Amino acid sequence: MGRMPKPIEQPVPSRAELVDHLVRTRIAGQVATPRENNLSHYRKLANGDRHYWFGLELGDRWTDEQDVLAVMAERCGVVDDAAHRYGQDTIDPELTVDALDRMAARLRKAALDRQGVLLATGHPGGLLDVHRATAGALRAAGCEIVVIPSGLVADEGAVWQVADVAVLERGATLWHTHSPEPMAAILDGLAAAGRPQPDLVVADHGWAGCAAQRGLDAVGYADCNDPALFLAEAEGTLQVAVPLDDHVRDPRAYDPMVAYLLSAADLL
């Protein structure tokens, strides 16, 4: 048998190079999510629609759509003009990189302390490989990548790990989900088995929201139409919310971002 080829190493971009790349690939900058979709989600969250709360308990603290918009302008970089109702919206790439730096600091701590880390995604089409690469780097640095209990179910699907990343599966398909229930199934399953909770959760959507709400250290990625994680970061429940388009056309476009993140965390 022939020797397996070595994986191609992704060069680490400078901050300026990464900002340019994020804008060029529309991971940030002028993103594909339209303004009207963003505002609709902010309104639904403010009106108490739990689908948009991502497993967080927001109480009556965010019942004004304009307050939600203000946080999203500050932490994500959407247009802060409330009169801008339709058309293009934005994510500030500088805020994306700032948040990646904050996430890198938490990953570095996890590596230094050899912590147990759980990675999960509700957006497997876009972010599965982002989390997989992070898991691999953390394991190489001596972290324990938490293995979830077998036989877990949630939302009429199975909760599995694919390439070290927890996902929801239905009918042999990995599902896009905002639900917190798969993460709740994992954390409850660990407790039932007498196993410790993760020291750190790296996730997105309701997977991150549920973990943060339960008091675990959690960091995550969030799109500009997913305000809950940014509100949780503003309140100190979630440690980091990285603003980005969470499903651009080519998932390989995230590779420079991951290289920057892992380099900043001293994990390369």
Side-chain angles (χ1 to χ4, degrees), residues 49-234:
D49 187 334
R50 292 300 184 100
H51 176 75
Y52 298 93
W53 285 23
F54 285 11
L56 293 154
E57 292 300 328
L58 302 177
D60 59 0
R61 300 184 297 279
W62 299 101
T63 57
D64 187 333
E65 177 187 348
Q66 301 309 314
D67 290 342
V68 178
L69 174 60
V71 170
M72 294 303 293
E74 176 189 10
R75 293 181 177 268
C76 185
V78 301
V79 176
D80 62 2
D81 181 4
H84 177 49
R85 309 297 299 177
Y86 300 96
Q88 183 66 57
D89 213 341
T90 56
I91 292 175
D92 185 340
E94 298 286 350
L95 293 178
T96 302
V97 182
D98 286 345
L100 288 170
D101 287 337
R102 296 196 302 276
M103 181 182 282
R106 186 59 186 85
L107 295 180
R108 189 183 310 115
K109 173 178 170 53
L112 288 173
D113 295 344
R114 302 292 195 268
Q115 292 184 337
V117 184
L118 174 65
L119 299 100
T121 186
H123 228 307
L127 298 180
L128 179 62
D129 206 47
V130 171
H131 292 300
R132 179 208 58 78
T134 304
L138 288 168
R139 174 181 279 112
C143 287
E144 174 197 356
I145 302 304
V146 174
V147 176
I148 70 172
S150 60
L152 298 178
V153 295
D155 297 331
E156 300 180 344
V159 185
W160 287 355
Q161 268 174 311
V162 175
D164 288 328
V165 184
V167 292
L168 180 67
E169 184 272 344
R170 291 186 200 158
T173 301
L174 303 186
W175 274 69
H176 172 211
T177 176
H178 290 184
S179 173
E181 294 306 319
M183 178 58 76
I186 293 173
L187 300 179
D188 291 345
L190 290 170
R195 294 171 54 195
Q197 298 289 287
D199 299 304
L200 174 65
V201 173
V202 183
D204 48 70
H205 286 180
W207 304 78
C210 175
Q213 183 61 43
R214 293 201 181 194
L216 301 177
D217 281 9
V219 298
Y221 301 95
D223 210 327
C224 56
N225 63 352
D226 293 333
L229 296 188
F230 295 103
L231 301 182
E233 183 187 35

Side-chain angles (χ1 to χ4, degrees), residues 7 20 151 253:
D20 179 70

Side-chain angles (χ1 to χ4, degrees), residues 236-254:
T237 308
L238 183 78
Q239 293 194 334
V240 182
V242 178
L244 47 64
D245 185 320
D246 55 16
H247 197 160
V248 294
R249 181 170 298 177
D250 181 2
R252 292 273 70 81
Y254 296 108

